[in-house]
Amino acid sequence: MQRVLGQLKQGLEKGFEVAKEVVEDASTLLSQSRVLQNYKLGPPVATCGPGEPGIWAIYSGTSKKPGAVVKDVAIWVLDKRRLVDAHKAAMAQRGGGARAFEAVFDAQRRGCQHLARLKHPGVVKVIEPLEDSAGQMVLVTEAVWGSLHNVMTRFAGLPSAAQGSAEHREAAISGLEARAGLVGVADTLAFLHGEAGLAHCGLSPQVIMITAEGAWKLAGFSFAVATDYAAPASSTSHAGGGAVQYTYNEAFPPPWEELSKPSLPYTAPELVGGWGGTANATVSPATDVFSLACIAYELLVSYASSTNQPGGTPASPSTSTSSWQLLPVRSNANEYRTRLAALTSPSSPLNGVPATLQGVLRTMLAPAPTSRPSAAAFASAPFFQEDVLLRGLKFLDTILQREAGQKAAFLRDLATFWCQYDDRTLRLRVLPPLIRELRSEVLVGGVLPPL
């Protein structure tokens, strides 16, 4: 009995410590930020950006502005002072100097500028532009639930207050949600590569954000460049200030170097310095297609390794970033080259990848950018197009723009397969558009009752 009471006391003390830490962090943020005076800061919910689990800490927030159009928001904080202070010893040891992290901060500033400029449903919406002070960066966006990386690792690495919430502790996405998310990311890339004329160049699970409504959106544009930019042979930078090729000389580089480059396990070979004996690179949409293939492999294999059905959730939660990675190399360029060379062999199997996706995924991983298909070709693969549940979600996403006859025909078909959707998909993606359609007397009277 005494032992149980002791454990209970320890648990309560730890809980008080966590609550105190969150309150102190919130008080510090509010006191240092002008823009946050207009928001009530909530608990930490997610991370984003390079590093483990991400350089940006994201808090939930609520607007205090009277009549605010967007009430619930996400408050992104990059604590520059804490980041530098945490690595002072390493900086002194390796000669990093006081400005060692400036390249990291410059990249994040560029990323925030891109994010504010891009207007698309598949890009995280900025509510308040970047506030950049000596000690921190603050950005306010639409509300988010977590990054794809957060969800895949069950929010490991976040403050214990975030991990302790039931919503995050039980976080899981179904196989259907993963497939829908991949198609959504591909559609957003098609917009970036076409209308926006931009290549992301830093695509990874850390920069794919999932909203409370289940939508997958892109952030983390720190390494983005114009799709028609060609680097001269004598230079590795462009007018925007970001490198077009990156050197990965150490398996475990100092943090100021690792955070200033795209994550190597998801980076296309043309961005890796020394690949193929060339010192220059031409950025193209194919750069992001390679990254998308790496992410797709990681997601699909994690579900194939599950004992559940394809529509279920992974059987074994993982807190390791390399559990299912196609290229688990961290920052080791030699290991990267070895593994990528093995992938080019026709006999090298992509174990766990569905047969109807093997062909397109393999071409997406081609070392030569010109051999890779477009992001739209990936989304058009039979693996996605022949998925009835996925087609249903895509129709529901655009149901407001459909004619009454199309809606009626779809809803009659939906009555035959809606029960195959998992609970989370029903709650977030299926029921909301159906409830909005209750305004239609024709549909309510003749179609919705069977559902």
Side-chain angles (χ1 to χ4, degrees), residues 87-109:
H87 297 98
K88 276 186 175 179
M91 291 162 63
Q93 182 181 1
R94 305 189 63 145
R99 298 181 61 82
F101 281 95
E102 279 307 307
V104 176
F105 301 146
D106 284 344
Q108 296 307 312
R109 292 184 187 102

Side-chain angles (χ1 to χ4, degrees), residues 291-371:
S291 303
L292 179 60
C294 294
I295 296 169
Y297 175 90
E298 190 170 340
L299 270 173
L300 296 170
V301 170
S302 70
Y303 286 96
S305 301
S306 168
T307 56
N308 296 336
Q309 294 298 316
T313 56
S316 302
S318 171
T319 58
S320 169
T321 56
S322 60
S323 295
W324 310 110
Q325 282 180 348
L326 179 65
L327 300 169
V329 298
R330 187 162 176 172
S331 292
N332 191 326
N334 290 331
E335 180 71 11
Y336 174 90
R337 293 184 182 97
T338 300
R339 288 182 175 271
L340 192 58
L343 282 177
T344 62
S345 171
S347 60
S348 175
L350 293 174
N351 293 328
V353 176
T356 52
L357 199 61
Q358 286 259 357
V360 67
L361 207 63
R362 188 174 293 281
T363 57
M364 292 168 71
L365 294 167
T370 54
S371 298

Side-chain angles (χ1 to χ4, degrees), residues 378-451:
F378 169 75
S380 299
F383 175 72
F384 300 114
Q385 294 300 313
E386 296 172 2
D387 189 324
V388 173
L389 299 182
L390 188 55
R391 291 208 309 270
L393 293 181
K394 288 183 73 68
F395 188 97
L396 287 167
D397 287 342
T398 59
I399 194 169
L400 289 177
Q401 289 78 48
R402 304 282 184 160
E403 296 179 358
Q406 292 176 312
K407 295 178 182 180
F410 168 76
L411 292 174
R412 291 191 189 94
D413 289 340
L414 181 63
T416 66
F417 63 81
W418 72 268
C419 55
Q420 298 179 49
Y421 287 113
D422 59 273
D423 290 346
R424 176 176 159 83
T425 302
L426 278 173
R427 177 168 52 87
L428 297 180
R429 302 288 300 277
V430 177
L431 289 178
L434 289 181
I435 291 173
R436 287 194 293 268
E437 286 303 313
L438 290 176
R439 293 173 298 182
S440 170
E441 295 182 4
V442 175
L443 296 181
V444 170
V447 180
L448 289 181
L451 292 174

